Amino acid sequence: MPMTRPKTRIQQRNSETILEAALDVFSAHGFRGATLDQIADLAGLSKPNLLYYFPSKEAIHQALLTRLLDTWLDPLRDMNPQGDPVAEVMAYVRRKLQLSRDYPRESRLFANEILQGAPRMRDAIAGDLAALVAQKAQVLTQWMDQGRIARLDPVHLIFSIWALTQHYADFDVQVRAVLGEGHDPYAEAGVFLDQLYARLLAP
Amino acid sequence: MPMTRPKTRIQQRNSETILEAALDVFSAHGFRGATLDQIADLAGLSKPNLLYYFPSKEAIHQALLTRLLDTWLDPLRDMNPQGDPVAEVMAYVRRKLQLSRDYPRESRLFANEILQGAPRMRDAIAGDLAALVAQKAQVLTQWMDQGRIARLDPVHLIFSIWALTQHYADFDVQVRAVLGEGHDPYAEAGVFLDQLYARLLAP
DNA sequence: GTCTATACTCTGATAGAC
DNA sequence: GTCTATCAGAGTATAGAC
């Protein structure tokens, strides 16, 4: 009974394959836009076989969201209160931008969920995420009090980093359509965001 | 036959009511997540009556997107090449933030569409939108050449304005959950973005 | 113009053979 | 563990009365 925790190696591998396929489909079409047929096709399994590994469509989606949140918050967790303030914030920006570049599907999965009111993530957001932001906002405030970075609303500063980095994954189609051929959006964004936060944070 | 252009006053009013209801539902659940039942209920009409005014679900969605794009680009169009550079950009930021505050549903409708690869807007984005951005990027570049604002990638500067302002509408749930009670997100964002762009644009 | 009734398709989930 | 067959429900759209 692989309800909660698959045991054998084959089960592990198949669960993995399913989640990988599901990430593709859910991130591209949203929860309701995705179909089990699409996921099964992409995973190379039959639909009933899919439902042997996960009890429902909802369960697959939930599994993706759960594993996502941790990855998503890691870069912020890594912001070190002992480090150099400007360098720490800018390193956070770079890590977050890399995350958008390397895991755009995860970013879009998350965006789809929030955009529609976070029906399956409300608790996690009001809980873990809000707590982490509060904690890091305190660190930022301390740095501001010490005059080591410019005084700004620390929470909105964090929002700005989320907005500016996730934009490149979530609005990828628009970014590429506007830039046209021959551009590397993430490379250009890296340069631009470096300049932006260097200017913004300077005390 | 109200296929393309309703004629009588009642038809006008009912079309309006339907689009208003549809905006609510599509922006909250995405295209596939929305159902005609929900829209009909909200509009106070029967489902077949809905389909008397619009030939299909797709057509309702299309009508919303078409009327949206213009409204969405107006603030950028209004950026005046003859005005004071810093003031013009900052006025654009404010107009765009107001748009997010006053029309969050439109913002989310747009975000849903782009997020899922813009299947119904690709042409408009690669066309009108890209052209307008190219034109305004030229204005920005001129201002930079004249040393009146800091030198930055003009297109990514525009992206940053989109990302930072739309974030407050699109991720509203997250913003409010993180801020907690007793906050006015848009007022705070207004202050923050003023500071950000003042620092960023200073030559 | 608007409604009731209904046709038809899609999709999530289950039964049961192998 | 995996498949074929199938059910049940939801959802878009149409027919046809009024």
Side-chain angles (χ1 to χ4, degrees):
Chain A
M1 260 126 251
M3 294 297 293
T4 49
R5 235 158 252 284
K7 300 256 163 72
T8 79
R9 214 163 290 160
I10 284 189
Q11 284 172 336
Q12 278 285 7
R13 207 173 50 77
N14 273 347
S15 290
E16 213 38 60
T17 308
I18 291 169
L19 288 176
E20 167 66 21
L23 177 57
D24 240 63
V25 178
F26 280 130
S27 68
H29 302 107
F31 179 75
R32 292 221 30 196
T35 71
L36 290 183
D37 277 314
Q38 291 175 293
I39 299 173
D41 275 4
L42 204 58
L45 296 171
S46 68
K47 198 162 41 163
N49 202 7
L50 215 72
L51 293 167
Y52 170 78
Y53 286 96
F54 292 89
S56 68
K57 179 183 180 180
E58 191 78 42
I60 303 177
H61 192 250
Q62 194 59 55
L64 284 173
L65 287 183
T66 305
R67 70 147 59 168
L68 170 59
L69 194 63
D70 266 345
T71 317
W72 221 236
L73 293 181
D74 276 341
L76 182 53
R77 280 200 198 92
D78 292 349
M79 201 173 71
N80 178 11
Q82 315 305 330
D84 174 67
V86 172
E88 285 296 325
V89 176
M90 298 202 40
Y92 173 45
V93 173
R94 288 195 201 101
R95 281 195 298 272
K96 201 75 175 61
L97 185 62
Q98 274 170 25
L99 218 56
S100 280
R101 184 194 60 195
D102 297 338
Y103 302 96
R105 294 175 306 171
E106 280 81 350
S107 186
R108 288 193 280 266
L109 180 72
F110 190 76
N112 262 310
E113 181 66 12
I114 305 292
L115 197 54
Q116 309 193 356
R120 303 167 188 86
M121 283 197 91
R122 275 209 122 94
D123 295 347
I125 286 174
D128 292 357
L129 186 139
L132 180 62
V133 170
Q135 180 201 324
K136 293 303 182 179
Q138 232 170 13
V139 173
L140 288 167
T141 302
Q142 229 168 27
W143 287 340
M144 292 172 196
D145 289 344
Q146 298 167 353
R148 302 172 75 189
I149 57 174
R151 182 163 299 283
L152 296 160
D153 186 311
V155 176
H156 288 268
L157 177 58
I158 292 174
F159 286 162
S160 78
I161 296 171
W162 292 350
L164 288 170
T165 55
Q166 293 175 12
H167 184 79
Y168 288 93
D170 301 344
F171 287 73
D172 180 79
V173 176
Q174 177 177 264
V175 166
R176 290 180 194 277
V178 170
L179 283 176
E181 294 293 316
H183 285 265
D184 179 344
Y186 288 102
E188 297 174 8
V191 173
F192 178 81
L193 294 183
D194 261 18
Q195 293 176 313
L196 189 155
Y197 282 103
R199 283 167 173 269
L200 181 62
L201 296 170
Chain B
M1 260 124 250
M3 295 298 292
T4 49
R5 233 159 255 282
K7 300 258 161 72
T8 81
R9 215 163 290 161
I10 284 188
Q11 284 172 336
Q12 278 285 5
R13 207 174 49 77
N14 273 347
S15 290
E16 213 39 59
T17 308
I18 291 169
L19 288 176
E20 166 64 21
L23 177 57
D24 241 63
V25 178
F26 280 130
S27 68
H29 303 108
F31 180 75
R32 288 221 35 196
T35 71
L36 291 182
D37 275 315
Q38 291 175 293
I39 299 173
D41 275 4
L42 203 60
L45 296 171
S46 69
K47 202 161 38 163
N49 203 5
L50 216 71
L51 293 167
Y52 170 77
Y53 286 96
F54 291 90
S56 69
K57 178 182 180 180
E58 191 77 43
I60 303 177
H61 193 251
Q62 194 59 55
L64 283 173
L65 286 183
T66 304
R67 69 148 57 169
L68 170 60
L69 193 63
D70 266 346
T71 317
W72 221 236
L73 293 181
D74 276 341
L76 183 53
R77 281 201 197 89
D78 292 350
M79 201 173 71
N80 179 10
Q82 315 304 328
D84 174 68
V86 172
E88 284 297 324
V89 176
M90 297 200 44
Y92 173 45
V93 173
R94 289 196 199 100
R95 282 195 299 271
K96 200 74 176 62
L97 185 62
Q98 274 169 25
L99 219 55
S100 280
R101 185 194 60 196
D102 297 338
Y103 302 96
R105 296 175 305 171
E106 280 82 350
S107 187
R108 287 193 279 267
L109 179 72
F110 190 76
N112 261 309
E113 180 66 13
I114 305 292
L115 198 52
Q116 307 192 358
R120 302 166 188 88
M121 282 197 91
R122 274 210 123 93
D123 294 349
I125 287 174
D128 291 358
L129 186 140
L132 179 63
V133 170
Q135 180 201 323
K136 293 303 181 179
Q138 232 169 13
V139 173
L140 288 167
T141 302
Q142 229 168 28
W143 287 340
M144 292 171 196
D145 289 344
Q146 299 166 353
R148 301 172 77 188
I149 58 173
R151 180 163 301 283
L152 296 160
D153 186 312
V155 176
H156 288 267
L157 177 57
I158 292 174
F159 286 162
S160 78
I161 296 172
W162 291 351
L164 287 170
T165 55
Q166 292 174 192
H167 184 80
Y168 287 92
D170 300 343
F171 288 72
D172 180 80
V173 176
Q174 177 175 267
V175 165
R176 289 180 195 278
V178 169
L179 283 176
E181 295 292 316
H183 285 264
D184 180 344
Y186 289 102
E188 297 175 8
V191 173
F192 178 82
L193 293 182
D194 261 19
Q195 293 176 313
L196 189 154
Y197 283 103
R199 283 167 172 269
L200 181 62
L201 295 169

